[in-house]
Each structure stands twice: as structure tokens, then as C-alpha cells.
Amino acid sequence: MRESVHRHLGKVVAGAAIAVAATAVMIGITLPGTAGAQGTGGGAADGPSTGQAAPGQAAAVAPGVVEQPPAQGAQGKGSDPLTDDEIARVERIALDRQQFGAAQNVEGERGPQRLTVDLAEPDAGEVDDPAAPRRADVTFYDYRDDTLVTRTVDLAAGKVVRTGVQHGVQPPLSRAENAEAARLLIADPLGAGLRADYRDATGRDLTSPDQLLLNGAVYRAAPGAQPAALDKCGEHRCVRLFPKVVNGPWIDARYLVVDLSAGRIAALDRG
């Protein structure tokens, strides 16, 4: 591993490696009584109080009304998105006590790492069937043996109807996995540049992932393209982080790869 760390404070990462843009959307709100005002010297123009616009004046705009979203039912129908109740229920069904105790999450604790809960696609013969069973796919990553587990739950029957186990499959990272990668990097000697850049930007020490906005991408090993310590990335779950100071600059950490499965960090050759 390299002991020298190059600092790149405030550099916005550009090009094909990462393109991140922030767009600020400003929403104009008209306050009651101010619409149509034509003030001189800061005062509002005189006008009728009946709600009718005087000649040459714009009509007053009624205050906006924010509608609350409709109440979410405990049970969806057909191809409706899964409700919060359904998501909680299928997670409980998909992971029984024995399976929970045998698996390990990204922090090394009991239980697999939850990734996604999605409405399952209908089977081939059910596409046009309005009475087709409503199912959910629950995906977990088991760090004990680096396996991706997918369990399909029949919502009406309340049971698991299919289970798939895959090796070498690396879906997008969860928020918890990005946070654990940042925690490892902050504590590692190779994270010295990240810590220094954060201090330069904020005047404070970087001690927790909560101090950063985190994006991460799965890293896969390529023959001869990385140090030997990362040769298992792809079989292991590895991540390259793109950290950002909250309300501040991006910090270039692309050359560092965190192997979450092994709990170690290595630096790529930046040529």
C-alpha cells in the first residue's frame, strides 16, 4: 500500500469517472395581499378590497394550497407499488430466525445486509391476468460468504415461494454500505488525505461518515489493473467512494478502494 497521499481539496471530479451536477430549483411563492401590488417608494398600490382587480392592475392570486398525499393502505393491489406495511411484512417473512443468525451484515453483525425490496415481475403466464398473485422480491447480501440472496414472497399467502443464491453478483450499494466504507476509510492511514481535506474545508476534524454526503460505486478487479490486495473485488464487495463535504466541495477519493468483505483499503495506481 502506498503511504503517500495526494490531496485534492475542492476539486470537482469531472469526465467519465464521475459527473455530478447539483441543480438548485427556486420556487416563487406569492404571499396573500402582495399580488398585483404596484408600490412606489416601497408602499403597496391602492386598490379595491373586493378581490376584483382595478383597471390596469393584475388580479390578486389566491394563496396556494398544499394537498396532503392520499392515505397509504396496508395492502396494495395489482401492480401498485409496495406499501410501507407490505415492505415491513415481506422483510419479516423473507428472513426467519435461523437464516438471520447464520448470516452477517456489512458491519460484521448478525443478519444479512438488506439491499432492496421491490414488487416482483409477474410470471410469463400472468402478465395479463388481473388476479395474478402479488409478490415481492427481497434481496440481501450475506458478508459471511459473499452471496447475494433473493427471496420472493407471495403477499397473499404470506410465505416465501422462491429463493435464489448467487456468487459474484454485485448490485448497487446500500446507504449503510457506503457509510461503512467511509468509516473504514476515515480510520485508515490511507484516509489521511480525506481527513486533511475535510479539515481544510471546514476547520473541523472528520470523525464520522455522517459528516459527509456519500456516493459509491461497486469496484470490480481487472487483470493487472490494481494492487494484488484488490484482486478479489467482484467476488468480494468493494466500493469506490465519492465523498462530498456537506454544503462544501467534493473530495477526490477515487483512487482508494474499500474491500468491505475483507475490511481493508488499497490505493489504485494513478499513473
Side-chain angles (χ1 to χ4, degrees):
M1 296 186 184
R2 302 189 175 204
E3 296 182 356
S4 61
V5 181
H6 298 277
R7 295 166 53 188
H8 302 267
L9 175 62
K11 292 185 179 178
V12 177
V13 181
I18 174 173
V20 181
T23 304
V25 179
M26 300 186 67
I27 302 174
I29 301 176
T30 303
L31 297 177
T34 62
Q38 298 179 359
T40 57
D46 293 334
S49 59
T50 60
Q52 299 294 323
Q57 289 185 326
V61 178
V65 177
V66 178
E67 294 187 1
Q68 296 299 318
Q72 187 182 78
Q75 181 75 33
K77 296 181 180 179
S79 59
D80 290 344
L82 294 169
T83 67
D84 291 343
D85 287 345
E86 287 177 320
I87 290 173
R89 181 167 171 256
V90 298
E91 284 183 331
R92 291 194 300 269
I93 295 170
L95 196 62
D96 61 32
R97 183 175 299 179
Q98 180 179 355
Q99 293 160 339
F100 181 88
Q104 180 176 304
N105 68 14
V106 68
E107 297 176 359
E109 299 173 347
R110 289 175 55 193
Q113 185 64 49
R114 186 197 112 170
L115 299 182
T116 60
V117 181
D118 298 304
L119 188 69
E121 293 290 334
D123 293 342
E126 300 172 345
V127 175
D128 298 320
D129 183 1
R134 186 170 163 84
R135 307 183 188 94
D137 287 332
V138 185
T139 59
F140 302 96
Y141 196 86
D142 186 354
Y143 277 88
R144 178 181 53 86
D145 56 3
D146 283 296
T147 57
L148 178 68
V149 180
T150 303
R151 291 198 170 93
T152 302
V153 175
D154 186 314
L155 288 157
K159 65 180 182 180
V160 175
V161 293
R162 283 193 296 268
T163 298
V165 178
Q166 297 170 286
H167 294 269
V169 177
Q170 299 295 340
L173 295 142
S174 67
R175 181 180 300 179
E177 289 171 309
N178 282 334
E180 178 63 12
R183 187 189 69 78
L184 291 170
L185 184 55
I186 290 168
D188 193 272
L190 285 174
L194 172 65
R195 296 191 300 272
D197 285 352
Y198 184 88
R199 183 166 185 80
D200 286 346
T202 67
R204 301 188 302 274
D205 290 335
L206 176 61
T207 59
S208 168
D210 295 337
Q211 296 169 261
L212 297 167
L213 297 178
L214 297 169
N215 287 292
V218 170
Y219 176 82
R220 290 180 174 275
Q226 67 282 313
L230 299 175
D231 282 348
K232 287 195 172 182
C233 287
E235 176 186 344
H236 284 186
R237 195 142 169 84
C238 300
V239 55
R240 295 172 77 180
L241 282 178
F242 307 105
K244 183 181 184 299
V245 177
V246 177
N247 297 322
W250 293 89
I251 299 176
D252 189 355
R254 292 172 296 166
Y255 62 97
L256 298 172
V257 177
V258 181
D259 184 335
L260 290 170
S261 299
R264 63 189 176 198
I265 300 167
L268 299 172
D269 183 3
R270 292 185 286 175

